[in-house]
Amino acid sequence: KNEVEQSPQNLTAQEGEFITINCSYSVGISALHWLQQHPGGGIVSLFMLSSGKKKHGRLIATINIQEKHSSLHITASHPRDSAVYICAVKGTSGSRLTFGEGTQLTVNP
Amino acid sequence: EAQVTQNPRYLITVTGKKLTVTCSQNMNHEYMSWYRQDPGLGLRQIYYSMNVEVTDKGDVPEGYKVSRKEKRNFPLILESPSPNQTSLYFCASSLSVPAFGNTIYFGEGSWLTVV
């Protein structure tokens, strides 16, 4: 079992739909990152969370430390949101990151 | 503009021919790291560096070397590349360990094919 599990692996939505991507992890963490990988391959950081909730535009990220679970929500989805979304965790010790396999999101017009 | 720059972006090479993928950041970051991304496996850490002359192995270090002689540069060296090192490689940096509010910045990626 991977330390970081994402679901779903693939997600297709219609423009305007509310989207949720989930990330579960099995170790204690000091931080969780949500990343977006564009079709061309580049990766950008969306959020870094250690507790609670963060919002940026139409994106919302939440984390429940007790349940070892995080969600990334996209409101009013748009075709330009089509990308791979990756969850990564940093453990409580050391400095390495462990990544989920990613969720491929396709938003159709 | 804050940047992590990798070169080359695309490379086809032959088995056994030493190659270096360069990585440079302009943000005075202490933490730098190399990852490889393979289908079905996601991103995996190869090596990371907490500061100049401080490097450590990640999850998949076999077949790779790194050095951190200057703060801005963190080259990835494949001494004798093999076909199983065909992958998409990313360099990344952050101010310090990727926690405590430190955003991670990624390079554009380097597509490496070893034949």
Side-chain angles (χ1 to χ4, degrees):
Chain A
K1 187 178 187 304
N2 292 334
E3 287 183 4
V4 181
E5 298 269 357
Q6 286 186 236
S7 63
Q9 282 189 307
N10 294 282
L11 180 56
T12 300
Q14 288 300 121
E15 184 172 357
E17 286 184 2
F18 181 84
I19 287 161
T20 296
I21 298 170
N22 297 297
C23 176
S24 296
Y25 51 91
S26 57
V27 297
I29 67 168
S30 60
L32 182 143
H33 299 260
W34 280 104
L35 311 170
Q36 180 191 54
Q37 185 168 23
H38 300 296
I43 300 174
V44 296
S45 175
L46 297 175
F47 295 103
M48 198 210 71
L49 296 160
S50 54
S51 64
K53 177 179 175 178
K54 286 191 176 178
K55 184 175 190 291
H56 185 255
R58 294 179 295 105
L59 273 61
I60 303 165
T62 64
I63 189 167
N64 185 317
I65 297 293
Q66 287 74 30
E67 294 188 4
K68 294 186 167 62
H69 180 268
S70 176
S71 293
L72 176 68
H73 305 287
I74 305 175
T75 62
S77 59
H78 190 275
R80 65 174 174 266
D81 296 325
S82 298
V84 176
Y85 292 84
I86 301 168
C87 169
V89 301
K90 156 123 177 26
T92 52
S93 62
S95 52
R96 74 181 182 95
L97 288 176
T98 304
F99 297 82
E101 289 186 29
T103 295
Q104 173 70 63
L105 171 65
T106 303
V107 181
N108 294 317
Chain B
E1 182 191 351
Q3 269 190 328
V4 178
T5 305
Q6 296 178 225
N7 279 296
R9 294 287 318 281
Y10 304 91
L11 180 65
I12 300 173
T13 190
V14 296
T15 298
K17 185 176 180 184
K18 179 180 179 180
L19 71 93
T20 299
V21 187
T22 63
C23 175
S24 180
Q25 48 91 7
N26 64 358
M27 296 166 279
N28 202 36
H29 284 171
E30 290 185 348
Y31 183 90
M32 296 186 75
S33 185
W34 276 102
Y35 305 93
R36 61 179 288 174
Q37 187 177 37
D38 302 289
L41 296 174
L43 282 155
R44 293 179 292 168
Q45 192 168 36
I46 303 171
Y47 270 95
Y48 62 93
S49 169
M50 292 297 298
N51 213 325
V52 175
E53 302 291 2
V54 181
T55 62
D56 210 344
K57 296 177 181 177
D59 297 314
V60 287
E62 295 78 20
Y64 305 95
K65 283 174 58 177
V66 293
S67 68
R68 187 93 182 270
K69 295 189 173 68
E70 305 164 282
K71 201 169 188 179
R72 63 183 293 125
N73 295 323
F74 190 46
L76 179 70
I77 302 155
L78 286 73
E79 292 271 1
S80 183
S82 62
N84 64 11
Q85 292 179 296
T86 293
S87 188
L88 173 58
Y89 291 86
F90 287 98
C91 180
S93 74
S94 58
L95 187 61
S96 184
V97 293
F100 315 123
N102 294 317
T103 300
I104 312 167
Y105 295 83
F106 285 84
E108 289 293 307
S110 295
W111 291 90
L112 173 64
T113 301
V114 184
V115 298

